[in-house]
């Protein structure tokens, strides 16, 4: 059966409903718990295996050793202090595709995906950040 | 009257994607159409060869923004097949669940686009509003709205909880109610039903001959669905109907998609009811043994196919992707024949094309030049018969083709 104006009633009813559009950025919707946003790095847990770097599909993460090198003594002698291992993670926020594969790859749970997603910037350089 | 040929595209002929259609007209009647693809060749297959299997999940997921789960499922199935991994049941159910949710959002999107193409933007507003419900569900389950990243080699990355199942059921009930309403709108609203009827005709024979897939084929009464014919994920354990229609036109394709939406709601209910407990992933090796595999998935637009050849390293040697639009796009020329110029956008949109997924390297053949890598149809058939005889021990030479003596 053909009925012209089938949606008419629904459209009229919509005038009395509140808008379906949310008023972002004035009203922010909470992101779900599993959301994959900006990464967070726990320096004390990282052992520098660089598995995260290896598995990252877009080469967005770099782990660098920022610890002190071993103190050098006279030739042949044992170093007094072994090299200190301390790692830093640098992420290109514009390269990262927020897949959180690095989080899965890290056996030491040194990486975590947060719910932070408002990362836009007018300056390209500001997107390379230490996390 | 003299015939004129006009180019339509490559700037969004129907959807906002590049493809060029050269249409020869006699008055406003279409006599002939030629299609030109290749504006958006992204070299994904080549890129996949220089990335590891894990990295490729995310690369191949980005073949399509809408069938992203189908592509990544198809890819991981291939790799799991070569590595002989036994994927846990729970993971398979979660894959099917996300697959069906993907179909929901894709078909709702299409319904809106179809409305838009025929100037019925009210429908677009309503269906896209409802599509948000599915997108929110997907984002809750997987962590993202478009590229879900749920698949990994050997299982899935995120489990679902009891609370989430409750949310899914509530959302599905709401969506089912809305979809039933759209089914009424599509069949009863005179402007819509008349505008879509007898537009873009594709007969059953042509659909079979041109190898159409998905809702395009099913609307021409081709009873074919990979979920039933070659079950993957958890589809072998779910009962569902394959929706077909014999209108053979855009109206039929609309009905098939609406029917599939309603069927998907039932499937989702079954999946969340029967989902078994247990682990969601098995450990996968980084190096995949030598081998090759083909896997197929029923993406919302039709059969999606991936082929992978491995060489024992942690990177594949060859990855081949056949997106559903490539199978359907041949049918568009047939659909447009004897149609009217004004119907071009809706006929193209009716196959739910995705040109960026389809764009592959093309080899132009002209006067026998640049024919490297090309093989004659007869020789290809001979080759395949021999291949099956040697590798599988099956003799297919007795099967005669329709027009073969
Ligand atoms: S973050 Fe994790 S995976 Fe990356 S180097 Fe540190 S320990 Fe290894
Ligand atoms: S989230 Fe993905 S793209 Fe971003 S740094 Fe981690 S692995 Fe790389």
């Amino acid at each position: 059966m053909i009925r012209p104006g089938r949606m008419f009633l629904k459209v009229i009813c919509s005038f009395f409903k509140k808008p379906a559009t949310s008023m972002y950025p004035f009203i922010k919707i909470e992101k779900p718990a599993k959301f994959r946003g900006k990464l967070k790095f726990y320096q004390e847990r990282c052992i520098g295996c660089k598995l995260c770097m290896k598995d990252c599909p877009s080469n967005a993460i770099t782990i660098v050793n920022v610890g002190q090198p071993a103190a050098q003594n006279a030739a042949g002698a044992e170093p007094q202090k072994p090299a200190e291992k301390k790692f830093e993670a640098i992420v290109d926020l514009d390269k990262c595709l927020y897949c959180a594969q690095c989080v899965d790859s890290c056996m030491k749970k040194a990486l975590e995906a947060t719910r932070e997603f408002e990362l836009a910037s007018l300056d390209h350089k500001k997107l390379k950040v230490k996390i | 009257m003299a015939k004129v040929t006009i180019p339509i595209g490559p700037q969004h002929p129907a959807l906002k994607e590049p493809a060029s259609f050269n249409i020869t007209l006699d008055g406003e009647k279409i006599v002939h159409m030629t299609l030109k693809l290749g504006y958006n060749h992204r070299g994904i297959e080549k890129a996949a060869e220089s990335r590891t299997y894990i990295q490729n999940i995310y690369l191949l997921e980005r073949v399509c923004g809408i069938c992203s789960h189908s592509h990544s499922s198809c890819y991981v199935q291939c790799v799991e097949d070569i590595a002989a991994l036994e994927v846990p049941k729970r993971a398979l159910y979660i894959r099917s669940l996300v697959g069906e949710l993907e179909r929901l959002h894709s078909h709702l999107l299409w319904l809106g686009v179809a409305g838009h193409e025929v100037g019925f933007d009210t429908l677009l507003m309503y269906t896209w509003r409802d599509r948000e419900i599915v997108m929110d569900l997907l984002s809750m389950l997987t962590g993202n709205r478009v590229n879900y990243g749920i698949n990994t080699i050997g299982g899935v990355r995120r489990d679902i909880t009891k609370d989430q199942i409750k949310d899914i059921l509530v959302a599905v009930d709401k969506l089912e109610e809305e979809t039933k309403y759209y089914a009424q709108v599509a069949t009863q609203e005179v402007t819509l039903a008349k505008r879509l009827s007898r537009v873009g005709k594709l007969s059953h024979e042509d659909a079979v001959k041109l190898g159409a897939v998905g809702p395009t084929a099913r609307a021409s009464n081709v009873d074919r669905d990979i979920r039933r014919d070659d079950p993957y994920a958890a589809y072998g354990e779910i009962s569902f109907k394959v929706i077909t229609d014999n209108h053979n036109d855009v109206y039929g394709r609309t009905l098939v998609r609406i029917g599939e939406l309603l069927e998907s709601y039932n499937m989702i209910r079954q999946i969340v009811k029967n989902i078994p407990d247990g682990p969601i992933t098995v450990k996968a090796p980084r190096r995949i043994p030598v081998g090759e595999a083909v896997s197929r998935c029923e993406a919302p637009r039709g059969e999606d196919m991936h082929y992978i050849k491995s060489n024992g390293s942690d990177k594949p040697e060859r990855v081949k992707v056949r997106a559903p639009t490539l199978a359907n796009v041949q049918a568009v020329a047939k659909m447009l024949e004897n149609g009217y110029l004004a119907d071009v956008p809706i006929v193209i949109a009716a196959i739910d094309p995705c040109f960026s997924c389809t764009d592959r390297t093309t080899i132009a053949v002209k006067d026998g030049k640049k024919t490297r890598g090309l093989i004659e149809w007869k020789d290809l058939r001979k080759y395949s018969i021999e291949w099956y005889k040697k590798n599988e021990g099956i003799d297919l030479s007795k099967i005669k083709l329709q027009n073969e003596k």
Side-chain angles (χ1 to χ4, degrees):
Chain A
M1 185 190 60
I2 293 288
R3 276 176 54 184
R6 190 67 181 75
M7 284 192 96
F8 197 64
L9 199 64
K10 187 140 185 138
V11 176
I12 295 287
C13 290
S14 294
F15 277 120
F16 306 101
K17 282 191 186 150
K18 70 174 183 5
T21 322
S22 61
M23 295 300 283
Y24 181 82
F26 307 108
I27 298 164
K28 289 187 183 165
I29 299 168
E30 184 80 340
K31 287 283 154 202
K34 288 172 182 173
F35 185 74
R36 310 186 298 260
K38 190 180 169 186
L39 298 166
K40 194 171 170 191
F41 182 60
Y42 296 94
Q43 200 176 38
E44 64 288 354
R45 294 185 201 160
C46 178
I47 53 162
C49 64
K50 301 202 176 167
L51 266 184
C52 52
M53 274 173 77
K54 193 169 180 282
D55 283 347
C56 174
S58 58
N59 293 333
I61 189 166
T62 321
I63 302 284
V64 282
N65 191 349
V66 292
Q68 301 292 326
Q72 288 299 309
N73 282 5
E78 283 284 303
Q80 280 176 342
K81 252 206 225 151
E84 188 193 344
K85 284 196 177 145
K86 198 171 150 203
F87 298 94
E88 242 172 33
I90 296 154
V91 173
D92 284 299
L93 295 179
D94 51 346
K95 272 195 197 168
C96 177
L97 39 95
Y98 304 95
C99 60
Q101 176 59 44
C102 51
V103 177
D104 287 5
S105 294
C106 179
M107 249 101 73
K108 295 286 164 191
K109 297 206 167 27
L111 286 164
E112 188 188 276
T114 66
R115 286 193 267 178
E116 195 182 335
F117 68 97
E118 289 165 310
L119 307 169
S121 162
L122 288 175
D123 186 1
H124 176 69
K125 288 193 200 86
K126 282 192 193 147
L127 292 169
K128 191 164 185 145
V129 295
K130 198 178 98 192
I131 50 167
Chain B
M1 201 198 274
K3 292 195 174 83
V4 280
T5 302
I6 55 162
I8 296 187
Q11 303 299 331
H12 50 81
L15 304 168
K16 316 294 178 270
E17 273 194 298
S20 171
F21 298 85
N22 271 324
I23 296 183
T24 309
L25 292 170
D26 182 4
E28 60 167 333
K29 214 165 189 176
I30 300 165
V31 185
H32 184 64
M33 184 206 86
T34 51
L35 167 79
K36 197 168 158 204
L37 286 175
Y39 293 93
N40 214 2
H41 178 54
R42 294 175 291 169
I44 285 192
E45 291 173 7
K46 191 71 198 162
E49 289 163 20
S50 58
R51 281 168 173 76
T52 62
Y53 286 101
I54 292 181
Q55 290 174 330
N56 277 335
I57 304 171
Y58 306 102
L59 178 69
L60 290 168
E61 188 166 64
R62 280 157 180 79
V63 168
C64 184
I66 292 172
C67 328
S68 61
H69 182 71
S70 306
H71 280 283
S72 80
S73 300
C74 222
Y75 167 74
V76 294
Q77 278 176 24
C78 264
V79 182
E80 284 155 3
D81 197 1
I82 302 175
L85 291 175
E86 184 89 25
V87 182
K89 268 268 170 71
R90 192 172 174 87
L92 293 177
Y93 270 77
I94 295 176
R95 274 187 197 164
S96 295
L97 173 65
V98 177
E100 285 317 299
L101 287 172
E102 183 179 76
R103 189 176 322 278
L104 294 186
H105 96 74
S106 176
H107 283 355
L108 285 170
L109 175 134
W110 181 85
L111 206 54
V113 171
H116 173 71
E117 296 295 348
V118 298
F120 191 16
D121 279 327
T122 316
L123 187 63
L124 169 85
M125 298 297 170
Y126 281 99
T127 51
W128 282 39
R129 179 198 64 188
D130 295 335
R131 178 174 171 257
E132 279 306 302
I133 302 174
V134 193
M135 302 297 273
D136 286 344
L137 270 189
L138 282 164
S139 137
M140 173 187 84
L141 291 172
T142 67
N144 209 327
R145 286 161 52 95
V146 176
N147 290 307
Y148 318 118
I150 185 97
N151 282 322
T152 189
I153 298 164
V156 292
R157 294 170 64 203
R158 282 148 206 269
D159 205 353
I160 62 170
T161 62
K162 290 240 161 55
D163 286 342
Q164 284 172 345
I165 290 178
K166 267 188 223 137
D167 290 347
I168 294 170
L169 289 174
V170 171
V172 162
D173 288 346
K174 164 105 180 71
L175 283 167
E176 186 168 33
E177 192 189 313
E178 294 287 341
T179 309
K180 281 186 178 148
Y181 174 71
Y182 298 134
Q184 287 172 3
V185 170
T187 47
Q188 296 175 2
E189 170 62 55
V190 65
T191 47
L192 191 66
K194 290 238 154 133
R195 181 69 185 82
L196 302 179
S197 294
R198 289 188 289 282
V199 169
K201 279 269 184 195
L202 180 72
S203 66
H204 175 79
E205 289 72 29
D206 284 336
V208 174
K209 202 164 83 190
L210 295 167
V213 293
T216 309
R218 290 196 282 274
S220 295
N221 214 1
V222 181
D223 190 11
R224 210 183 273 160
D225 191 317
I226 304 301
R227 293 174 293 171
R228 181 200 58 197
D229 302 339
D230 182 13
Y232 58 96
Y235 289 113
E237 293 166 29
I238 306 167
S239 64
F240 60 96
K241 276 205 306 279
V242 173
I243 310 289
T244 52
D245 191 275
N246 50 14
H247 279 87
N248 303 355
D249 53 11
V250 181
Y251 182 61
R253 279 159 227 151
T254 313
L255 296 186
V256 166
R257 287 196 172 92
I258 293 177
E260 282 184 14
L261 281 172
L262 294 170
E263 202 56 40
S264 278
Y265 299 131
N266 287 333
M267 290 164 80
I268 291 173
R269 288 199 189 101
Q270 285 181 46
I271 292 171
V272 295
K273 191 166 152 240
N274 300 333
I275 187 163
D277 289 329
I280 55 163
T281 165
V282 285
K283 202 163 162 35
R286 277 178 185 268
R287 291 175 175 277
I288 303 295
V290 184
E292 56 183 345
V294 171
S295 101
R296 303 190 290 172
C297 277
E298 184 73 24
R301 304 175 151 103
E303 178 198 47
D304 179 22
M305 196 152 79
H306 281 221
Y307 162 80
I308 290 176
K309 185 169 186 208
S310 60
N311 54 8
S313 72
D314 61 349
K315 293 184 183 116
E317 189 170 297
R318 176 80 176 101
V319 175
K320 164 81 196 141
V321 179
R322 210 285 327 264
T325 304
L326 192 66
N328 278 333
V329 86
Q330 310 296 332
V332 175
K334 196 83 210 166
M335 289 175 196
L336 283 174
E337 252 172 44
N338 299 323
Y340 291 98
L341 181 62
D343 296 336
V344 170
I346 182 65
V347 173
I348 298 174
I351 66 160
D352 204 359
C354 196
F355 293 116
S356 302
C357 322
T358 305
D359 274 348
R360 301 277 156 247
T361 321
T362 44
I363 305 167
V365 201
K366 206 177 177 191
D367 305 332
K369 285 182 195 149
K370 281 196 189 171
T371 51
R372 194 164 63 92
L374 280 189
I375 182 165
E376 286 266 316
W377 170 243
K378 228 168 56 211
D379 297 334
L380 181 67
R381 190 166 144 73
K382 214 164 90 196
Y383 174 80
S384 69
I385 288 173
E386 267 156 30
W387 191 93
Y388 268 100
K389 215 188 269 173
K390 202 173 113 215
N391 292 297
E392 308 273 322
I394 310 171
D395 188 8
L396 296 172
S397 57
K398 296 213 175 54
I399 299 175
K400 287 270 174 281
L401 294 184
Q402 249 174 8
N403 43 10
E404 208 179 49
K405 285 181 202 88

